[in-house]
Amino acid sequence: MPVPGFRSIRALKDRLIEDFGAEAFDFGDEIGEEQDAFGWNLRMTPYDFSISTNGGQLCSGIFDMQVSIVDASIDNGDVLFADMTTTEGVMALVSDLLPRQGN
């Protein structure tokens, strides 16, 4: 039986893949119906994303998002963004952080 928040994170993952392509992300394992949070690495960048529905307590399409640096720099592990956001907010931040092609 799906837990609260599962459908919301599943819809976000599907939207990310639809808009940016699966090759832009390293999601790791599939999202199970018992999950209400997930994370990924934005490939070709030093950014890790963590998305939570706070145990399914947030409305659909609202997330507690954290973005951190994951590389060999002195800033490794530093949190760049930690706040509540919407699906559109997640999409905008991913778009801003993706490397530009052809420039």
Side-chain angles (χ1 to χ4, degrees):
M1 173 186 254
V3 298
F6 164 74
R7 286 181 179 84
S8 187
I9 63 170
R10 185 70 204 156
L12 175 61
K13 181 179 177 183
D14 291 346
R15 173 87 186 274
L16 287 164
I17 292 170
E18 179 181 315
D19 284 18
F20 301 110
E23 65 281 352
F25 308 97
D26 181 2
F27 291 112
D29 296 333
E30 274 298 310
I31 296 174
E33 290 185 351
E34 69 285 350
Q35 287 179 248
D36 60 14
F38 78 116
W40 71 86
N41 174 263
L42 190 55
R43 288 192 178 152
M44 299 180 60
T45 76
Y47 305 114
D48 271 355
F49 285 70
S50 175
I51 296 286
S52 175
T53 63
N54 291 343
Q57 298 301 307
L58 300 177
C59 295
S60 183
I62 305 292
F63 306 99
D64 188 355
M65 180 170 72
Q66 180 176 310
V67 180
S68 57
I69 297 174
V70 181
D71 65 7
S73 75
I74 197 161
D75 296 329
N76 184 46
D78 278 1
V79 174
L80 301 175
F81 179 93
D83 206 351
M84 300 296 246
T85 190
T86 63
T87 298
E88 294 308 317
V90 174
M91 302 305 286
L93 189 55
V94 168
S95 179
D96 287 348
L97 295 176
L98 273 173
R100 301 288 180 230
Q101 300 295 318
N103 290 341

